[in-house]
Amino acid sequence: ADATPGTARLEWRDAYRRTILPKLAEFNPDLILISAGFDAHKKDTMNCGFIGLLEDDYTWITQQLVKVANKCCDGRVVSMLEGGYMTDGGSSSAFARSVAAHVGALCEGCVSLESW
């Protein structure tokens, strides 16, 4: 396995780009449910740094899911806050920044209506 910093998050995006998002679009759902967990963040000790996602990754995946929703189900998305345990720092914590990135991408997607 490659131990280059940031490799896991690039592989994560690639997996979504090549496999998960196309399969989701092919499935053509009536509604997309997002279990919005943020414990894969680089600064969250829950995942021991295994994936090491950043706020930009949460923005990106949310944008992609909203685009699929805009294509398949008239933009119907329900997002439920699940997890993210690195709350030290309050509103400037990795968790708070990740949630803000996710919610911002949801709002942006509702305005742009761009499809996947």
Side-chain angles (χ1 to χ4, degrees):
D2 191 347
T4 305
T7 300
R9 56 186 286 261
L10 298 177
E11 291 172 0
W12 175 85
R13 280 194 187 209
D14 194 49
Y16 269 92
R17 207 178 278 117
R18 291 178 181 249
T19 306
I20 298 168
L21 293 167
K23 292 289 185 186
L24 178 60
E26 181 183 327
F27 179 69
N28 196 27
D30 294 326
L31 169 71
I32 294 178
L33 300 172
I34 301 172
S35 179
F38 303 99
D39 48 349
H41 193 283
K42 181 179 181 176
K43 291 190 175 185
D44 197 308
T45 56
M46 178 69 101
N47 74 69
C48 301
F50 179 70
I51 297 178
L53 300 183
L54 302 173
E55 292 83 359
D56 182 57
D57 298 308
Y58 292 115
T59 297
W60 178 83
I61 190 56
T62 304
Q63 289 169 336
Q64 301 311 305
L65 292 170
V66 169
K67 288 177 184 178
V68 172
N70 287 342
K71 176 184 180 195
C72 298
C73 50
D74 296 322
R76 288 188 293 269
V77 174
V78 174
S79 177
M80 297 149 292
L81 183 60
E82 178 200 316
Y85 305 97
M86 185 54 71
T87 59
D88 294 343
S91 62
S92 65
S93 68
F95 175 71
R97 292 189 318 270
S98 298
V99 170
H102 173 67
V103 172
L106 284 172
C107 294
E108 178 185 298
C110 291
V111 174
S112 77
L113 300 178
E114 184 179 349
S115 292
W116 187 77

